[in-house]
Amino acid sequence: MGGDYTVVGSRARRLDGPEKVTGKAVYLDDMQFKGMLHGAILQSPHAHARIKSIDTSAAEALPGVKAVLTAGNVPDTKYGVSPARYDENILAIDRVRYVGDEVAAVAAVDLETAHQALELIKVEYEPLPFVLDIDQATAEGAPQLHQEYLGNLTAEVHQEFGEVARGFAESDLIRTDTFVNKRQDGGFIEPPRSVAVHDLSGNLTLYSSTQVPHYVQRTIAMLTGLSVGKVRVVKPYVGGGFGPKASASPCDILSSLLSMKTGRPVKIAMSREQVFLHCRARHQFKHVMKTGYTKDGIIKALEHTCYLEGGAYSSFGIATVYYAGSLLAAPYRLPHMKYDGYRVYTNKPACGAQRGHGGVAARACFEQQMDLVAEELGMDPIELRLKNIMETGDVSCNDLSMSSLGMKECLEAVQGGSDWNAKKGKLPPGKGIGMAAGFFVSGAGYPIYRSETFHCTVTIKVQEDGGTVLVKTAAAEIGQGSDTTMAMIAAEAIGIPLEAVRLVSGDTDYGIDLGAYSSRTTLMTGHATREAGEQVKEMILTALAGELGVERERLDIKDGVVEIKGEAVDFGPLRTKYLKEHRGWGGMPSGDKLTFTEAARMAYLKLGTIVGTGKYKPPVLGGKFKGAAVGTSPAYGCSAQVAEVTVDLETGQVTVDNITDAHDCGQAINLTSVEAQMEGSVSMGLGEAMFEEVKFDDQGRVLNPSLGEYHIPTVLDMPRMRCIVVESGEPNGPFGAKEVGEGAIMPTIPAILNAVHDATGVTITELPITPERVLMALKQKKRDE
Amino acid sequence: MLLPRFSYHQPASVAEALEVLGQHGDQAAIIAGGTDLLVNMKHGKLAPRHLVGLEGIDGLEEIGADNGSLVVGPRLTASALAASGELSGAAQALALGAASLGSPQVRNRATVGGNVCTARPAADMCVPLLVLGAKALLAGPDGPRELPLDEFFLGPGQTAKKPGELLTGLSLPRPAEGSGAGYEKLGLRKALEIALVNVAAAIWLEPDGKTIKQAKVALGAVAPVPMLSPGAEAALTGQTAGEEAFAQAAEAAATDAKPISDHRGSAQYRREVVQVLTRRALGQAWQAALGQ
Ligand SMILES: Cc1cc2nc3c(=O)[nH]c(=O)nc-3n(C[C@H](O)[C@H](O)[C@H](O)COP(=O)(O)OP(=O)(O)OC[C@H]3O[C@@H](n4cnc5c(N)ncnc54)[C@H](O)[C@@H]3O)c2cc1C
């Protein structure tokens, strides 16, 4: 469907590519500051305990130690992600709630001294009874984590759309199925870290490995008492985030406070083990879904209950528990839906948002059940889905509006692309094929705090020499490619080649940008960038029209040259002026067309520096009910995947051989980046399906806090992949673009589960799909037969 | 965590190495590739004040011959062993195990000496060495001595190597005609994986190409040490090679295994997998012995 674009839709080389592959890119650990101190954090060894006393005198006396912080000398302001549930303290006040809870922090001349100082801090704990799972946490008389949120419930959701009872009355086939995933780790390459620099003018600059400079800026301002304008957050290159870096980290907060206290730059870096202790990654979900279908395979009603094991603090949990329900209302027509969700506190590290926020396990449960329904109805799974899918223009029972939806195209693409019809039901034992579909938001309708703020602002300044433009955005390039995408959008909007665009990003001084989460950047920052680019173009062409004495409408810029419609116009005087300014220079414009460079220079001479600004916030979106803000988005991406697997019937080991993946991203800005997101999503989904599980002992300690023992896929575990990009043209997106970053993970787990079922006849309802789990299921099936 | 401080020694001969080790006693540790030692030091499990590197000593990084045996140098890396042309016949077991260890980066550092001295129950080079009847060649203050590997391993991370002793080689019988090896490893992912169960098998055929002269099966991750299965050996010796004999040996191996349940897998599952992998490893070894 793609329009007639020059830059958009191409396979542009990434702006950050050369620096990254040559090792020259600057990440936080590469940054050095004069007089920089090193910070370290003391964490609780207990899952739940009262702090009877803390003695820091020996640590303070250690030569080289410059500051020691405990709850006693930091503000007691509560913070968190959602202002409705600020339940965290900067450092534990009287009580620790999980193994890893932050108790004290030190800054010293080097890391060795800082670690020694931690060992000298004497904390007297009185261990308290604790709860490690949902059953323990919700049992009567269970120890409580927070006095403000009794019953160990962070949040509960009760929603009904339509009339579920009527839906079930109209159903011929009603199935109830359950599904459990496991607590996941983000598995990003770079653990969180920060350097805070509090300068002599009282300004604080925080360099942070974060996805969200804006939210970090606000949290730091709130906790330090500095005004927001005096807090600047800068994000250097970041080694991935996937959700757990979407809020202020203890490194951010404690390095800021330590820098303010010592007057010196302070760096704090998490170790890999601390990443596991901090978590903020995928929750464990337990889903129960009762779904009604007619005998023709039409979905009538869904009654859904979900429990989330959330850890000791809320983090994103309120949004997560809403998403776990709301993201089932599409991409199939579902007239009646009831949802009861519970997000439960436990004495474990807090879970938060991770790629496919809240929706991944729910999607797996629903899509697995759909295949079981297809089997009972004797229907092909793709056929069953095609009967139910929504189309462009459809609105879900909970007011999610599909302004574009290439679901049918995705299903047909993977059907053809995988040779589905020749394989489904025709493979030998141990070989299986399965499929699933899914969808996801392109950014949330509202910021995390209640506000009418723009979600992003972008400035484009035309360099006064006229040859290049400078895009300034606070958007967070965290490896996903947003810098290149924004530069491409700017180039397309102005009509210049990508090489004429420079871009700076990831700095709160460049404007507002809510950051890299909920798959928002391409659509939202893309809109603002496009608007700024169009403004620039308009200013230059208006000035040029005046100079040449032609109507503005006759002028356009394409690929760096000015197009003039109608009869020829003499721009000789203009060129002469330009050449005179550059006497003796090489590479001057020649030929029969006026260049963008000349036009832009002329406009500057007339108007001064040319600056265009763009901004975006979503229009008011559907839904008046409680929780409507979670799930509504200006646009939805969707996808379908077919997985082919081999199951070793003697050991239970599953190998994913092939994945055929189709994703509707509206319009690819950078085709290579779209495919990269699809591949990355499959790798992450495959890890969650097959290997990943953060494990705890009976004292609440993480058993596998390293990437040696917590298994993410290696390149050898990746299947062959075929990526098919579907472009439905999103009316609410810049140049028709919408998300690909998270939606692409939705079908992976259920597609693999359905393929395993096809290969073996067993249904695995608990992740990960370990060889042992599969073999035990195979044996059970034999016994049952 | 940070690496604790230490001083580094680089002796030029075995004698010099023994001297340094003797001087510093339990304050000294030998370092080869460092892929176990440095990890343990970073985790604060070990804090030796003196590290003794062996790279200055000639001859520890090659496969030598010594009347009727091969002597594998302890500093040979997994990468080198995986690609070695000298490990033919049954000795191929060691190459197969080495090839399945870690990832390319780890294989480039990890040495066979380190693997043996670390003595993990699932160690990818120890299990193959057992089926080859390897002996540990040790040098110490009281002179050199030899110890069969199955007496060398005492428990997880524990060996019969005395403090102050140095592993100078692993001796194996020279590869014989009509012998072959198999290696099977089950884990979650395809690389960077400590085995949930691993099995090595070696078969020596009589000149008739059918009768099993000798066969050995070793099991990993199912006991406190990498272990030989005497039951499998007994079930195979003198039998005609083939599915039937292998199935019986596999059953015997599963009986010999002493797995425990932990967070990575249950004892019951491990025992079942021992049986499957033993059968497969034997099939592989047989094919290799036949030259196929
Ligand atoms: C990421 C990663 C993945 C891994 N994967 C695997 C795997 O898949 N399979 C597997 O089996 N192992 C694995 N390991 C463990 C390790 O790589 C192996 O055990 C390796 O063989 C150790 O060898 P090294 O040379 O690094 O030993 P080092 O760490 O240098 O030494 C290990 C121990 O042996 C002692 N030592 C070394 N050489 C001698 C000698 N000549 N005489 C006396 N004592 C000596 C040292 O003092 C030390 O106690 C992995 C390790 C890492 C970090």
Side-chain angles (χ1 to χ4, degrees):
Chain A
M1 220 189 223
D4 177 19
Y5 303 128
T6 315
V7 182
V8 161
S10 68
R11 291 186 180 277
R13 189 177 83 179
R14 281 179 61 143
L15 304 187
D16 50 349
E19 287 198 342
K20 284 183 175 169
V21 300
T22 55
K24 291 190 176 129
V26 172
Y27 290 84
L28 203 117
D29 252 358
D30 302 312
M31 304 181 95
Q32 290 295 333
F33 294 85
K34 196 170 171 189
M36 186 172 85
L37 301 175
H38 294 263
I41 305 173
L42 184 70
Q43 294 170 279
S44 164
H46 297 286
H48 200 185
R50 200 166 72 76
I51 298 175
K52 290 167 74 178
S53 66
I54 305 184
D55 178 358
T56 58
S57 52
E60 277 162 73
L62 184 71
V65 172
K66 300 294 175 191
V68 181
L69 301 180
T70 63
N73 58 357
V74 299
D76 61 1
T77 318
K78 289 217 164 186
Y79 77 102
V81 171
S82 168
R85 284 295 181 292
Y86 280 169
D87 56 8
E88 295 192 58
N89 296 308
I90 297 172
L91 291 167
I93 301 179
D94 300 337
R95 195 137 71 108
V96 287
R97 294 182 174 84
Y98 72 98
V99 175
D101 216 350
E102 292 86 16
V103 175
V106 301
V109 289
D110 55 36
L111 198 50
E112 214 174 340
T113 309
H115 283 163
Q116 273 171 20
L118 291 187
E119 280 169 31
L120 294 175
I121 298 177
K122 288 188 209 77
V123 187
E124 218 187 322
Y125 293 102
E126 176 193 323
L128 298 171
F130 50 82
V131 291
L132 296 180
D133 62 32
I134 291 165
D135 289 341
Q136 290 171 7
T138 53
E140 207 160 303
Q144 299 293 305
L145 273 89
H146 298 274
Q147 290 320 310
E148 301 86 338
Y149 308 108
L150 290 179
N152 288 327
L153 279 183
T154 314
E156 54 187 303
V157 181
H158 303 285
Q159 293 177 329
E160 182 166 355
F161 303 99
E163 295 167 61
V164 171
R166 204 179 98 207
F168 283 118
E170 291 166 5
S171 302
D172 303 307
L173 171 62
I174 298 173
R175 269 194 77 100
T176 302
D177 292 282
T178 63
F179 188 79
V180 186
N181 74 327
K182 292 290 154 61
R183 174 188 280 249
Q184 220 186 339
D185 180 77
F188 35 71
I189 288 182
E190 185 198 24
R193 46 206 55 224
S194 358
V195 181
V197 185
H198 189 238
D199 66 27
L200 295 175
S201 321
N203 301 315
L204 180 78
T205 305
L206 178 70
Y207 301 87
S208 173
S209 168
T210 181
Q211 300 175 230
V212 288
H214 174 74
Y215 292 120
V216 172
Q217 179 192 35
R218 278 180 56 98
T219 305
I220 295 301
M222 179 176 95
L223 295 179
T224 56
L226 294 171
S227 71
V228 176
K230 290 196 165 242
V231 177
R232 174 181 171 211
V233 176
V234 182
K235 174 212 68 63
Y237 280 129
V238 167
F242 308 115
K245 290 186 192 166
S247 55
S249 76
C251 301
D252 295 331
I253 298 164
L254 293 166
S255 66
S256 296
L257 291 168
L258 285 166
S259 180
M260 288 174 73
K261 198 169 165 85
T262 59
R264 288 168 67 168
V266 177
K267 173 178 175 179
I268 304 186
M270 279 192 202
S271 66
R272 182 60 65 180
E273 185 176 0
Q274 287 176 311
V275 171
F276 281 86
L277 292 187
H278 184 60
C279 187
R280 319 289 150 143
R282 176 113 55 235
H283 287 71
Q284 179 175 20
F285 299 81
K286 183 167 189 254
H287 291 282
V288 183
M289 291 186 194
K290 176 178 159 193
T291 316
Y293 286 74
T294 68
K295 58 181 180 315
D296 300 325
I298 304 300
I299 309 172
K300 281 293 171 187
L302 168 66
E303 193 176 298
H304 170 208
T305 310
C306 179
Y307 285 89
L308 286 71
E309 189 264 298
Y313 298 102
S314 293
S315 180
F316 275 87
I318 308 186
T320 319
V321 65
Y322 275 107
Y323 270 129
S326 66
L327 290 181
L328 287 175
Y332 308 109
R333 292 194 178 110
L334 177 53
H336 311 287
M337 180 171 95
K338 182 171 184 295
Y339 174 55
D340 297 288
Y342 306 87
R343 201 269 191 182
V344 179
Y345 285 122
T346 55
N347 292 105
K348 282 160 91 174
C351 298
Q354 187 165 320
R355 198 178 210 159
H357 191 184
V360 171
R363 178 57 47 198
C365 184
F366 192 86
E367 296 284 323
Q368 182 177 52
Q369 185 182 55
M370 218 168 173
D371 262 42
L372 297 171
V373 167
E375 198 171 271
E376 280 194 46
L377 294 175
M379 207 178 271
D380 181 85
I382 295 185
E383 190 195 330
L384 177 64
R385 286 172 174 85
L386 283 169
K387 280 187 171 210
N388 286 288
I389 50 169
M390 299 169 90
E391 290 169 6
T392 299
D394 282 350
V395 178
S396 74
C397 64
N398 60 351
D399 266 352
L400 313 186
S401 170
M402 303 297 133
S403 36
S404 69
L405 196 75
M407 198 61 253
K408 181 162 183 280
E409 291 78 358
C410 287
L411 286 168
E412 288 170 353
V414 297
Q415 186 174 30
S418 67
D419 211 1
W420 172 270
N421 293 346
K423 291 174 182 165
K424 175 66 186 165
K426 302 179 181 106
L427 299 174
K431 293 272 180 193
I433 187 166
M435 63 84 51
F439 85 113
F440 199 68
V441 302
S442 306
Y446 301 89
I448 290 168
Y449 57 98
R450 284 215 179 172
S451 169
E452 290 177 18
T453 178
F454 291 105
H455 292 206
C456 40
T457 58
V458 171
T459 311
I460 301 183
K461 170 175 166 283
V462 183
Q463 301 298 63
E464 289 77 0
D465 74 280
T468 38
V469 304
L470 177 63
V471 179
K472 285 188 182 179
T473 161
E477 166 69 76
I478 58 167
Q480 84 280 39
S482 62
D483 276 359
T484 310
T485 300
M486 293 313 129
M488 291 173 80
I489 288 176
E492 188 71 50
I494 303 172
I496 55 179
L498 184 56
E499 296 70 48
V501 180
R502 278 176 53 203
L503 178 137
V504 290
S505 68
D507 184 332
T508 52
D509 275 0
Y510 298 154
I512 291 288
D513 198 290
L514 299 186
Y517 71 100
S518 78
S519 297
R520 55 173 295 286
T521 307
T522 297
L523 187 141
M524 297 193 180
T525 312
H527 260 303
T529 305
R530 181 182 184 167
E531 186 177 291
E534 285 172 348
Q535 227 178 68
V536 157
K537 180 176 184 171
E538 194 54 40
M539 288 164 85
I540 292 173
L541 288 182
T542 305
L544 182 64
E547 181 79 12
L548 296 177
V550 304
E551 302 77 43
R552 157 69 188 90
E553 294 68 45
R554 287 180 58 199
L555 303 178
D556 198 4
I557 309 171
K558 276 214 169 112
D559 209 15
V561 294
V562 177
E563 308 262 343
I564 306 177
K565 278 189 214 107
E567 62 193 60
V569 173
D570 177 19
F571 57 80
L574 218 158
R575 174 154 295 169
T576 309
K577 205 149 91 180
Y578 185 87
L579 292 178
K580 269 193 188 153
E581 280 193 319
H582 297 86
R583 194 164 286 164
W585 294 35
M588 285 294 105
S590 61
D592 55 2
K593 290 209 167 151
L594 188 67
T595 60
F596 166 75
T597 308
E598 291 163 285
R601 176 69 185 172
M602 180 281 306
Y604 155 72
L605 293 174
K606 235 176 157 164
L607 303 172
T609 300
I610 310 276
V611 177
T613 59
K615 61 197 177 309
Y616 180 80
K617 76 176 154 189
V620 174
L621 299 166
K624 294 270 175 292
F625 54 91
K626 184 162 186 258
V630 186
T632 41
S633 171
Y636 299 91
C638 64
S639 50
Q641 284 169 20
V642 168
E644 292 168 69
V645 303
T646 302
V647 182
D648 184 329
L649 298 173
E650 288 186 318
T651 62
Q653 188 157 49
V654 176
T655 305
V656 182
D657 302 314
N658 285 304
I659 298 250
T660 309
D661 184 359
H663 188 94
D664 171 18
C665 66
Q667 159 72 49
I669 303 293
N670 188 342
L671 198 50
T672 311
S673 290
V674 171
E675 290 168 352
Q677 286 297 319
M678 293 168 73
E679 289 170 5
S681 290
V682 162
S683 142
M684 208 157 191
L686 182 131
E688 181 167 10
M690 309 281 296
F691 315 132
E692 296 181 40
E693 173 177 5
V694 181
K695 296 176 182 175
F696 292 84
D697 69 7
D698 61 3
Q699 298 300 305
R701 292 177 294 221
V702 180
L703 280 168
N704 53 345
S706 78
L707 293 181
E709 292 160 279
Y710 177 87
H711 295 75
I712 62 175
T714 70
V715 71
L716 295 182
D717 299 296
M718 274 299 280
R720 277 184 298 275
M721 259 194 85
R722 174 154 184 210
C723 296
I724 305 164
V725 176
V726 171
E727 297 178 318
S728 61
E730 167 56 49
N732 296 330
F735 300 108
K738 54 185 179 180
E739 73 82 35
V740 62
E742 297 181 80
I745 199 176
M746 291 292 172
T748 310
I749 297 169
I752 294 171
L753 286 165
N754 291 339
V756 170
H757 179 80
D758 186 53
T760 60
V762 304
T763 305
I764 304 293
T765 57
E766 180 177 349
L767 296 182
I769 312 169
T770 58
E772 177 162 0
R773 199 162 269 132
V774 174
L775 194 73
M776 294 307 151
L778 282 165
K779 284 178 178 291
Q780 184 63 41
K781 178 166 167 268
K782 246 201 194 129
R783 281 195 292 271
D784 294 346
E785 277 166 9
Chain B
M1 283 247 247
L2 292 172
L3 210 49
R5 284 165 193 263
F6 54 82
S7 40
Y8 194 80
H9 305 264
Q10 207 172 31
S13 67
V14 170
E16 230 179 84
L18 292 175
E19 204 182 303
V20 183
L21 290 171
Q23 241 167 39
H24 299 291
D26 59 6
Q27 287 298 312
I30 292 166
I31 179 163
T35 61
D36 280 319
L37 186 72
L38 295 179
V39 174
N40 285 330
M41 286 172 67
K42 278 196 171 182
H43 281 161
K45 289 181 195 155
L46 295 171
R49 312 286 299 170
H50 301 270
L51 291 191
V52 184
L54 306 180
E55 55 284 347
I57 305 174
D58 281 343
L60 297 184
E61 213 173 337
E62 56 200 46
I63 298 184
D66 179 25
N67 46 18
S69 349
L70 285 183
V71 177
V72 175
R75 291 196 62 247
L76 281 163
T77 61
S79 302
L81 291 168
S84 166
E86 282 155 285
L87 300 174
S88 58
Q92 187 64 31
L94 180 55
L96 294 172
S100 78
L101 184 147
S103 62
Q105 293 93 325
V106 177
R107 288 196 286 277
N108 287 342
R109 299 284 318 160
T111 66
V112 62
N115 202 247
V116 166
C117 292
T118 292
R120 284 210 201 146
D124 278 303
M125 292 191 272
C126 295
V127 176
L129 283 167
L130 281 177
V131 298
L132 302 178
K135 288 188 204 124
L137 307 180
L138 297 163
D142 307 329
R145 61 180 182 128
E146 283 184 20
L147 207 59
L149 262 199
D150 57 342
E151 293 171 31
F152 183 76
F153 300 129
L154 300 180
Q158 288 175 326
T159 69
K161 182 174 82 68
K162 293 186 202 132
E165 272 186 325
L166 183 68
L167 180 74
T168 55
L170 293 146
S171 104
L172 328 170
R174 252 188 222 239
E177 285 289 307
S179 69
Y183 188 70
E184 290 280 333
K185 175 176 181 177
L186 184 102
L188 284 182
R189 58 183 175 189
K190 293 207 174 72
L192 279 170
E193 185 67 279
I194 303 298
L196 195 60
V197 174
N198 49 344
V199 176
I203 292 180
W204 291 263
L205 293 174
E206 296 285 4
D208 66 6
K210 278 190 255 168
T211 314
I212 300 173
K213 183 157 86 188
Q214 198 194 4
K216 280 181 191 279
V217 170
L219 314 174
V222 290
V225 289
M227 61 173 278
L228 279 166
S229 165
E233 182 169 352
L236 291 163
T237 313
Q239 301 297 312
T240 305
E243 283 302 318
E244 203 177 314
F246 298 160
Q248 271 174 17
E251 220 169 288
T255 310
D256 284 347
K258 304 176 197 68
I260 53 160
S261 295
D262 62 16
H263 70 88
R264 304 180 67 230
S266 71
Q268 185 201 351
Y269 178 70
R270 283 188 160 112
R271 201 181 288 280
E272 302 220 9
V273 170
V274 165
Q275 192 164 343
V276 176
L277 298 192
T278 300
R279 187 161 41 72
R280 291 180 183 176
L282 283 166
Q284 207 188 330
W286 184 36
Q287 293 303 309
L290 293 174
Q292 283 160 5

